[in-house]
Amino acid sequence: MRGRCAITMVLRHLLYLLLFSLVVADEYDYTVIVPAGKTECYGFTIANEKYQSFEVDFQVIEGGKLDITFSITSPKGLRLISDLKHGDGTHKIDLSMAGAGYGDYLFCFDNTFSIQSDKRVFFEIFLLDAQGHFLGDFDQQINVGTEVLRTLDTRVDHFQNVTANVKNNLNTIERLQRQYASIELADRTAIERSYEMINFWSVLHLFVMLFALFVQVYMVRSLFEANSRIGLILRKGHLND
């Protein structure tokens, strides 16, 4: 009976940590639209000293040539990253590096070089701990007491490390799936745009060819018609008054 209560207590702690990690996460993803000729900036605050670095992934999934200018500005007002007309990118910022630190970061997408194409951009932010993991608050210590540890006769710390590694692997899989989904969306958008352009130019070329065929047939017939003014011009080079 006592062992069952201890197991119930541990499971309750684990359930609490799991639910809390779903609410307080350290991975964020957004899809934004940057209008043509404008720059859109988004602020993000990093204040928890548990995080030692962060990683940003972005990809243009729709609009124009699928490129945009991306920059990261630190809380000190220094520009840490500047990608000029890139379709995608991945950057990792160490918070201990010079010019970085904790505070409000600014992520900007510059589409001023485009005069007519809006850009749809997907980007993700991962807050990483000292081991490079993004685990939310799943890495909190489980406080179950000495008596419970003796009853269970196991190492809760080891169990916590195992579950933390499992969650980190699941987060990595989810992250890769989102990246592949954004790549698939960008490819599908490019294919659809190419399909529309091919159809447009094909119809235009077909119309030009039919028009040229009609003109040629009309001119050939005019050569054999005595009363045709076009035929007279073609045969003699000028009209007789």
Side-chain angles (χ1 to χ4, degrees), residues 21-41:
S21 66
L22 293 176
V23 176
V24 183
D26 50 12
E27 47 182 314
Y28 306 86
D29 59 274
Y30 308 92
T31 300
V32 298
I33 297 178
V34 185
K38 294 186 178 181
T39 300
E40 296 288 339
C41 294

Side-chain angles (χ1 to χ4, degrees), residues 10-21:
V10 172
L11 292 178
R12 185 179 302 170
H13 279 279
L14 292 177
L15 180 60
Y16 168 77
L17 287 177
L18 179 60
L19 293 177
F20 195 78
S21 66

